[in-house]
Amino acid sequence: MTGSENLETYEGRVELGIIGGTGLYQLGCLEPVATLATVETPWGRTSSPVTVGRVRTEGADAFYVAFIARHGVDHEIPPSRVPNRANVACLKRLGCRAILSFSAVGSLQHQIKPRDFVLPQQIIDRTKGIRESSFFNDIGLVAHVPFGEPFSEAFAKYIHRFRDVLENPDSEEPCELHFDRDTTVVCMEGPQFSTRAESKLYRQFGGDVINMSVLPEAKLARECEIAYQIVCMSTDYDAWRDELEPVTVETVVGNLTANARNANALASKVIAAMAAERPPFLKNADGLHGVVQMSISTKPSAISEEGQRQLDYLFPGDA
């Protein structure tokens, strides 16, 4: 997405946020509107400039989308150092009701082949507590937001409608889009890949794919009352298959180009359909409005001035 106007701020409303992972750095389906070269939030600066684009549809207002490259424009930010709070807070501030996230993953199951895509509905957390996973921990506020269903099933079902756009021209094997309400992504710390023993353990846990990015992104989206769904793009079989060599960067890179092409095709279809239909999960943020208000245990009088300022940034006029 090129040719957008460079701005310091953007006052228009954005409905959908896209967070691109390894191999997905821009979207060609959008008409460029603005590039926010530097976005500062109470939690720091976003990992990349924020590009805003739109889709024009007949009989409906233009649909606006904001795109952030999770690891930076040049992929210079490792998983443990991604400014997730700044990224998600920025998308919330722009008005996003839903976030569509993309991430390269390793497969933990035979049926999920390299170049297949996956829409997980559950998460197993194997990060090590070095990532800031909440907006509220350091502002004198206790909020226990429900996270039993970490993704938007309605959003996943919507995305799954467009599974036929995935292509695999270099192989006789089709690219599949796997979706089941028990499909589970394991999130590990990295940046090193798993040992073979760890990979086998994650399979015993019930993991289907593994990545380094879904947390705390999904948790922060929930704290912002945003419907969130990640699209996992399989690049390899991780390390659990004894008959194969453990995963290497070369193996991963070999499938990234095909995955990026399919990610663009899938995102373009989803965005165009959302622009024309404005599905219910987008209109009501999948029913999440008010979940944070109900989750706060701290008395309003005990919330610090800084804490209130940060709440107002995320929920202007509501908190």
Side-chain angles (χ1 to χ4, degrees):
M1 192 164 55
T2 59
S4 57
E5 182 181 1
N6 289 309
L7 300 174
E8 292 296 323
T9 61
Y10 179 73
E11 301 300 331
R13 184 172 183 83
V14 174
E15 295 182 76
L16 176 67
I18 304 283
I19 300 179
T22 304
L24 182 66
Y25 302 104
Q26 59 182 350
L27 290 170
C29 63
L30 300 172
E31 176 188 346
V33 174
T35 297
L36 307 180
T38 302
V39 179
E40 293 283 355
T41 76
W43 299 274
R45 183 176 296 184
T46 56
S47 58
S48 78
V50 180
T51 53
V52 178
R54 67 186 164 208
V55 176
R56 298 183 188 271
T57 60
E58 293 185 12
D61 294 335
F63 186 74
Y64 289 85
V65 178
F67 179 87
I68 295 175
R70 181 187 292 114
H71 297 289
V73 174
D74 298 313
H75 204 101
E76 69 275 18
I77 305 173
S80 301
R81 296 290 181 261
V82 172
N84 291 288
R85 293 195 296 181
N87 290 347
V88 176
C90 170
L91 294 177
K92 174 66 175 181
R93 186 72 173 183
L94 287 171
C96 292
R97 298 190 187 101
I99 291 176
L100 177 58
S101 173
F102 288 84
S103 172
V105 300
S107 170
L108 296 171
Q109 300 297 333
H110 285 283
Q111 71 272 18
I112 300 174
K113 309 179 301 297
R115 300 192 182 184
D116 279 1
F117 282 21
V118 180
L119 297 168
Q121 294 299 286
Q122 283 297 323
I123 303 172
I124 294 174
D125 187 356
R126 293 293 293 168
T127 61
K128 298 179 179 178
I130 64 176
R131 310 178 186 197
E132 293 290 350
S133 61
S134 174
F135 289 105
F136 309 132
N137 284 343
D138 51 3
I139 62 173
L141 187 151
V142 177
H144 299 289
V145 176
F147 200 59
E149 303 293 339
F151 299 103
S152 169
E153 184 177 3
F155 199 178
K157 288 179 177 178
Y158 195 83
I159 297 165
H160 194 249
R161 293 168 48 193
F162 305 101
R163 57 192 177 275
D164 290 343
V165 306
L166 302 183
E167 297 180 344
N168 195 12
D170 303 330
S171 172
E172 295 180 0
E173 294 275 6
C175 288
E176 298 181 77
L177 179 56
H178 301 267
F179 169 56
D180 183 276
R181 74 182 311 267
D182 293 321
T183 301
T184 300
V185 55
V186 178
C187 189
M188 62 177 289
E189 193 61 59
Q192 300 82 5
F193 293 127
S194 307
T195 67
R196 197 180 297 277
E198 288 170 332
S199 192
K200 290 179 178 181
L201 180 63
Y202 299 148
R203 281 168 48 80
Q204 293 178 17
F205 283 171
D208 294 288
V209 292
I210 183 166
N211 81 348
M212 303 175 190
S213 298
V214 70
L215 294 176
E217 204 172 80
K219 289 183 176 180
L220 296 170
R222 179 59 51 88
E223 288 191 345
C224 284
E225 301 177 353
I226 297 174
Y228 177 88
Q229 182 60 50
I230 195 167
V231 177
C232 295
M233 307 176 291
S234 176
T235 59
D236 57 84
Y237 277 115
D238 204 50
W240 57 274
R241 291 183 62 166
D242 291 322
E243 75 275 17
L244 299 178
E245 290 296 317
V247 62
T248 65
V249 172
E250 288 77 12
T251 303
V252 171
V253 171
N255 289 315
L256 281 178
T257 300
N259 284 353
R261 184 172 58 246
N262 277 331
N264 261 288
L266 182 62
S268 296
K269 284 285 189 179
V270 170
I271 291 168
M274 291 177 71
E277 299 170 0
R278 302 305 208 275
F281 71 84
L282 179 66
K283 292 180 179 179
N284 66 8
D286 209 20
L288 292 173
H289 181 70
V291 69
V292 170
Q293 190 88 23
M294 296 295 294
S295 302
I296 294 176
S297 301
T298 307
K299 293 181 178 179
S301 59
I303 298 175
S304 67
E305 184 175 325
E306 175 61 16
Q308 190 61 56
R309 184 179 74 86
Q310 294 187 16
L311 279 176
D312 289 342
Y313 183 91
L314 298 175
F315 304 100
D318 294 340

